Amino acid sequence: MFIAFRREVEAALEAALDDLGYPTEDLGIEEPPADVPAVLASSAAFRLAGEAQAPPPEVAAEIADAVDLADAEYVAGVSTQGPYVNFAPSEAYFEGALADAQSEDWGRLPDTGESVVVEHTSANPTGPVHVGRARNPILGDALARVLDYAGHDVTSEYYVNDAGRQIAVFTWAYETFDESDLSEPEREKDDYDLVRYYRKGNEFLEEGDPEDVEEAEAEIASIIESLDEGDEETLARCEEVVDTVLGGMTETLGRLPAEFDEFVKETQFLRDGSTHGVVDELRESEYAFEDDGAWQLDLADWGIEQSFVFLRSDDTTLYTTRDLAHHEWKFEEFDYAVTVLGEDQELHANKLNAALDILGNDTDQLEEVFYAWVNLPGGESMSTRQGTGVDMDDLLDEAVARAEEAVRSRMDDRIRDDDLTEDDVERIARQVGIGAVRYDIVSKQPTKAITFDWEDALDFEGQSAPYIQYAHARACGISAEAGDLEPALDAGLLDEQEERDLLKAVARFPGVVEEAAMDREPHQVATYAREFVDTFNAFYRSCPVLREDVDDDVAAARLALVDAARTTLANALDVLGIEAPESM
């Protein structure tokens, strides 16, 4: 309804401005304040006041008089308030929102016919997932979800870095050291088991006898060279290590959850020869030059001072070279490619774009979403570059434990009337704890650094996942207690202010999904969900559904509104990758 309403407003405004001889490139459409009885407003009068040589309120009145709503189905009227032109909804708008939101697919937009690959996380498979990676999988997974809801054919990709020095060191160490050389694993999990070899190997290379280290470095160099040549035996040796560690890492990521449709390996582009094809093509470029045996690109024309090295002096390729082949593969397979990257990767991304441009690619197909680091309480950075020794599993375990403590505290305070079983407590603790971590991170604008705070994240009354989850559980409880009462799709009976406000909030959901997908900002959905709960709670306090003194027809209509709110909340949480508990 909201999207259809907005399009009717756009058409009516554009026609009115054109008739008045005003430019139509900026309609100034925005949402009005909560106390204004409209769905959308236009601030175009501000922009046009100079041209009209009249104050904005006078221009707004002129625009409103010129608006023709004869063909509108969902816009009932137009009015002004100072410099704003406000557009009010029709009964068809409310009826349509109430009916459409009964569907489990509510909020999903029609197929766009466009395919999008979202690459995120892509942590090096050298050990357990670190909390420094927390924002990447949470943001990336939510972005993939919102694009899916917006009608795109979305593929979530984990790009596996399995061909660099780190993997060569890991493979050498795994084949060199015995269990007796290692410390006890921190967890009974494959990634924790194998990371001990990687740590032992690095320790040896830093502190071992120089002659032994020299011999080890020669073996590692041989592995790197063989990988670069696509040697199948070496690829198999490294693959054993990579796949084992990656299995443990994805198990951890699955707890968030962060799900992947494809695991694309660096070595794919060595095996198929495309990486060396990129090298050959770049060498022929007018921007290529050789310095001390290494081949580089001069990127001054792109405003980048640093050169781009694409071939070492020993004729081995780099991660960045293989990533060029990877992106050319993406451009062949998908209409658009989105990559989620930490803010420290911006220079790398700019260089990559320039090199792709030199190779003749349409870089409009590629977009990066950058995020700032998350800080731990006390100010410690969660950046893997700085490192704090905190693993993702530890963070999630603590989240669940803290959530369980909060649930039991609420039970002790008799906030709940019904009894919870131990299974219920464990379920709620998992849903709330992990949801709290996820929401606290995804709800913030990606480019802003954030400090993770346990009390805020687990606040059942504040701007948090538990606050939203509890509202969903409350709506489920009302529906469950309705008994034989059947919901009635009669918006005409919902004429209280709180009912109309909730209907308008329900109707907005598809528009929020569309805008969040266009802007690549899942946090817009998080903000909407939190504000939606405020509106739902106002309705809950003022408009009882199942009380004996409520007329049966009104109760049935309110029950349908509760179901619409429940579906809206469930799907908003689903976009964010957060579970929607049916009871709490």
Side-chain angles (χ1 to χ4, degrees):
M1 292 302 107
F2 181 83
I3 294 174
F5 185 96
R6 187 177 62 205
R7 286 172 183 160
E8 288 186 357
V9 168
E10 289 170 346
L13 260 179
E14 189 170 345
L17 294 177
D18 189 55
D19 287 346
L20 293 169
Y22 291 132
T24 61
E25 65 273 9
D26 182 7
L27 300 177
I29 294 175
E30 58 189 67
E31 290 182 32
D35 59 347
V36 174
V39 172
L40 289 173
S42 170
S43 59
F46 282 109
R47 174 177 61 84
L48 299 172
E51 182 170 338
Q53 296 186 336
E58 186 177 318
V59 178
E62 181 187 21
I63 294 171
D65 287 342
V67 168
D68 182 3
L69 298 176
D71 296 327
E73 180 180 1
Y74 301 116
V75 184
V78 59
S79 62
T80 62
Q81 186 176 39
Y84 293 95
V85 180
N86 298 320
F87 295 86
S90 67
E91 281 303 308
Y93 180 81
F94 292 113
E95 292 284 354
L98 184 63
D100 289 352
Q102 307 299 314
S103 168
E104 291 184 0
D105 289 333
W106 174 238
R108 288 193 174 275
L109 306 183
D111 290 345
T112 63
E114 294 177 341
S115 60
V116 181
V117 58
V118 179
E119 179 196 336
H120 65 88
T121 309
S122 301
N124 291 334
T126 52
V129 182
H130 189 277
V131 293
R133 292 286 179 176
R135 201 166 194 177
N136 198 313
I138 290 172
L139 173 60
D141 187 73
L143 180 57
R145 288 170 178 268
V146 77
L147 288 169
D148 176 61
Y149 262 78
H152 300 289
D153 181 8
V154 179
T155 297
S156 294
E157 180 200 296
Y158 190 122
Y159 185 49
V160 184
N161 305 330
D162 66 335
R165 174 179 167 81
Q166 287 179 312
I167 299 305
V169 170
F170 206 157
T171 302
W172 163 79
Y174 181 66
E175 296 173 347
T176 299
F177 298 105
D178 298 321
E179 178 69 31
S180 59
D181 300 320
L182 311 173
S183 60
E184 288 295 315
E186 296 171 10
R187 284 177 185 256
E188 293 299 320
K189 199 160 163 278
D190 285 343
D191 45 343
Y192 289 84
D193 181 25
L194 263 68
V195 73
R196 298 176 300 153
Y197 293 92
Y198 183 63
R199 290 170 179 166
K200 181 66 177 178
N202 280 298
E203 178 187 332
F204 178 87
L205 294 173
E206 291 174 5
E207 303 174 3
D209 180 88
E211 289 186 6
D212 294 337
V213 170
E214 185 178 355
E215 182 180 342
E217 288 288 4
E219 293 180 33
I220 292 165
S222 176
I223 293 173
I224 294 173
E225 185 176 347
S226 296
L227 279 173
D228 200 66
E229 293 171 352
D231 177 71
E232 288 297 336
E233 182 181 347
T234 306
L235 289 167
R237 289 164 60 197
C238 295
E239 193 172 66
E240 179 182 358
V241 173
V242 168
D243 288 355
T244 302
V245 175
L246 190 61
M249 295 172 69
T250 52
E251 183 181 331
T252 299
L253 292 167
R255 296 178 64 187
L256 283 172
E259 300 171 346
F260 301 92
D261 300 304
E262 289 193 13
F263 289 84
V264 178
K265 293 183 175 180
E266 251 186 299
T267 49
Q268 171 181 327
F269 308 103
L270 293 171
R271 275 187 163 110
D272 65 13
S274 57
T275 298
H276 292 287
V278 163
V279 168
D280 293 341
E281 195 170 345
L282 289 178
R283 271 176 159 169
E284 298 299 319
S285 163
E286 62 181 295
Y287 302 98
F289 66 95
E290 191 176 6
D291 184 21
D292 288 336
W295 280 88
Q296 307 176 44
L297 294 174
D298 182 347
L299 303 180
D301 286 359
W302 286 263
I304 301 172
E305 293 182 9
Q306 258 186 36
S307 62
F308 181 99
V309 180
F310 62 91
L311 192 68
R312 296 187 184 94
S313 58
D314 62 2
D315 285 340
T316 57
T317 60
L318 295 84
Y319 168 83
T320 47
T321 326
R322 300 185 283 275
D323 205 21
L324 288 172
H326 170 219
H327 276 78
E328 291 201 313
W329 171 82
K330 284 185 185 180
F331 295 157
E332 291 178 2
E333 296 290 323
F334 305 96
D335 295 319
Y336 295 99
V338 180
T339 311
V340 180
L341 296 168
E343 59 187 359
D344 61 331
Q345 295 295 307
E346 189 164 0
L347 177 59
H348 161 75
N350 291 338
K351 287 174 147 187
L352 186 78
N353 273 273
L356 287 168
D357 195 15
I358 290 170
L359 288 166
N361 295 281
D362 178 8
T363 53
D364 288 341
Q365 288 180 262
L366 178 61
E367 184 177 352
E368 292 87 12
V369 175
F370 295 102
Y371 62 90
W373 298 118
V374 179
N375 297 316
L376 291 166
E380 286 185 295
S381 172
M382 281 180 164
S383 162
T384 50
R385 187 173 294 275
Q386 295 179 14
T388 61
V390 180
D391 294 319
M392 182 83 78
D393 285 309
D394 295 330
L395 179 73
L396 297 180
D397 285 350
E398 184 168 358
V400 173
R402 285 176 179 259
E404 181 174 339
E405 183 180 345
V407 171
R408 292 191 186 280
S409 174
R410 290 171 68 84
M411 292 168 64
D412 292 341
D413 292 342
R414 301 183 182 278
I415 290 178
R416 292 188 53 87
D417 294 325
D418 55 325
D419 295 325
L420 292 176
T421 67
E422 281 300 308
D423 286 345
D424 288 332
V425 172
E426 290 179 10
R427 170 186 58 80
I428 294 170
R430 177 183 55 78
Q431 291 174 321
V432 169
I434 293 177
V437 171
R438 185 160 179 134
Y439 183 86
D440 197 69
I441 290 175
V442 79
S443 63
K444 311 298 194 303
Q445 188 172 344
T447 54
K448 292 183 178 179
I450 60 175
T451 298
F452 184 82
D453 184 276
W454 285 112
E455 288 188 11
D456 290 343
L458 289 167
D459 186 356
F460 279 70
E461 308 297 333
Q463 299 181 6
S464 64
Y467 179 62
I468 301 167
Q469 290 172 312
Y470 190 76
H472 178 267
R474 172 174 278 168
C476 290
I478 295 171
S479 297
E481 292 173 13
D484 295 332
L485 181 65
E486 291 292 329
L489 302 179
D490 191 346
L493 295 174
L494 303 173
D495 54 8
E496 296 289 339
Q497 185 62 50
E498 293 81 3
E499 294 167 333
R500 288 281 149 145
D501 288 344
L502 184 54
L503 270 173
K504 285 197 289 185
V506 166
R508 277 189 56 221
F509 181 44
V512 172
V513 168
E514 182 181 60
E515 191 163 345
M518 287 172 50
D519 295 342
R520 312 297 197 243
E521 293 183 341
H523 72 272
Q524 293 184 24
V525 180
T527 301
Y528 164 80
R530 186 186 69 239
E531 294 173 347
F532 185 93
V533 173
D534 293 340
T535 306
F536 175 76
N537 286 344
F539 160 81
Y540 177 81
R541 289 190 296 267
S542 301
C543 304
V545 179
L546 304 177
R547 210 166 63 192
E548 290 184 1
D549 60 342
V550 178
D551 177 82
D552 288 348
D553 290 339
V554 173
R558 286 179 178 173
L559 182 59
L561 181 53
V562 169
D563 286 346
R566 172 175 52 80
T567 303
T568 301
L569 279 172
N571 289 358
L573 286 169
D574 187 50
V575 170
L576 300 173
I578 297 171
E579 289 192 61
E582 295 185 5
S583 62
M584 284 179 66

